[in-house]
Amino acid sequence: MTVIRRRKGRPKCEHLSAELSNSKNESDMVWYTPRKAIKFAAYSRIIVLVIQVIANYLLADHEPDVFNPPGVQEPVGSLDPAVELLLGGFRRWDSIYMLHIAEHGYTYENTVAFFPAFPLLVKGIGMSLLYPLQHLMTFRHVLMVSAFLLNFTCFLIAAWYLYHLSTILIGKGKGVVYLLLVQTAPVKWRKQ
């Protein structure tokens, strides 16, 4: 049975402190730090970005013709081709709907299935923090950059919380392995 007691506002599990005290060498625990878990999360997303750029360049796109947003603009800004090359592969499936909602709002019946929080945040970031980029690229591409940065930031925050939650519930060693598995292969991982 795990006994949880409060200490300075944070829960502490008895089995976790026992596992840490049984560690033979403190240097064995160095790679378990939250900072390194966040770094690994960032590196994993950068690797996904690189793989996406290569795959987007080498493989032909599948055009399902399910939803084609109206008024697709040709790249006119100086940074549009670079953004299209780097982030164009992420504009697939549901992200087409999200970017359309962020740019035009709920204009079609099939867009109402999507919750407005993410498109509103993307548009808010694109119109405030990334406003200077609107002089260098079209608003559609500013929204793509905004969506990528928002996803990247949310992924790092989720990795930080998952690191702390998994070390509390599973233990430091297994918790970090769980975190690494979730970051590299986001499928259903569960303790058997």
Side-chain angles (χ1 to χ4, degrees):
M1 182 173 128
T2 303
V3 178
I4 298 177
R5 56 189 163 111
R6 288 263 182 215
R7 186 173 169 187
K8 294 184 183 177
R10 295 177 64 183
K12 176 126 178 142
C13 293
E14 292 296 327
H15 69 86
L16 182 61
S17 59
E19 182 180 321
L20 289 174
S21 63
N22 291 337
S23 176
K24 295 175 183 152
N25 189 355
E26 286 296 319
S27 65
D28 294 341
M29 305 303 277
V30 172
W31 71 285
Y32 291 125
T33 63
R35 177 174 283 168
K36 292 199 177 184
I38 298 300
K39 277 185 179 179
F40 183 80
Y43 291 145
S44 72
R45 294 304 94 184
I46 292 170
I47 290 170
V48 166
L49 175 66
V50 170
I51 291 171
Q52 178 273 144
V53 168
I54 294 169
N56 198 30
Y57 180 74
L58 295 177
L59 302 174
D61 291 334
H62 170 68
E63 295 294 334
D65 293 333
V66 175
F67 179 68
N68 293 321
V72 176
Q73 304 168 357
E74 292 298 319
V76 293
S78 60
L79 292 180
D80 282 345
V83 172
E84 193 63 37
L85 175 71
L86 289 175
L87 303 177
F90 290 131
R91 194 179 60 228
R92 304 285 183 266
W93 304 103
D94 288 350
S95 63
I96 294 174
Y97 292 97
M98 294 292 188
L99 289 171
H100 175 78
I101 294 168
E103 188 175 5
H104 302 288
Y106 290 96
T107 55
Y108 293 100
E109 184 179 333
N110 54 355
T111 60
V112 296
F114 298 95
F115 190 69
F118 184 77
L120 284 174
L121 285 172
V122 166
K123 188 171 187 173
I125 292 170
M127 294 183 78
S128 59
L129 297 175
L130 300 179
Y131 180 75
L133 291 179
Q134 291 183 19
H135 302 291
L136 301 171
M137 63 181 80
T138 60
F139 187 59
R140 173 167 290 154
H141 288 95
V142 171
L143 291 177
M144 285 175 61
V145 172
S146 173
F148 177 77
L149 292 175
L150 181 62
N151 275 324
F152 190 82
T153 304
C154 289
F155 185 80
L156 295 181
I157 292 169
W160 186 83
Y161 277 111
L162 185 61
Y163 170 82
H164 288 290
L165 181 66
S166 62
T167 55
I168 289 171
L169 296 178
I170 303 172
K172 275 221 178 223
K174 292 178 185 175
V176 170
V177 170
Y178 177 76
L179 177 67
L180 297 177
L181 289 173
V182 167
Q183 289 177 1
T184 55
V187 294
K188 278 189 167 180
W189 293 100
R190 57 189 170 130
K191 189 176 176 182
Q192 294 291 341

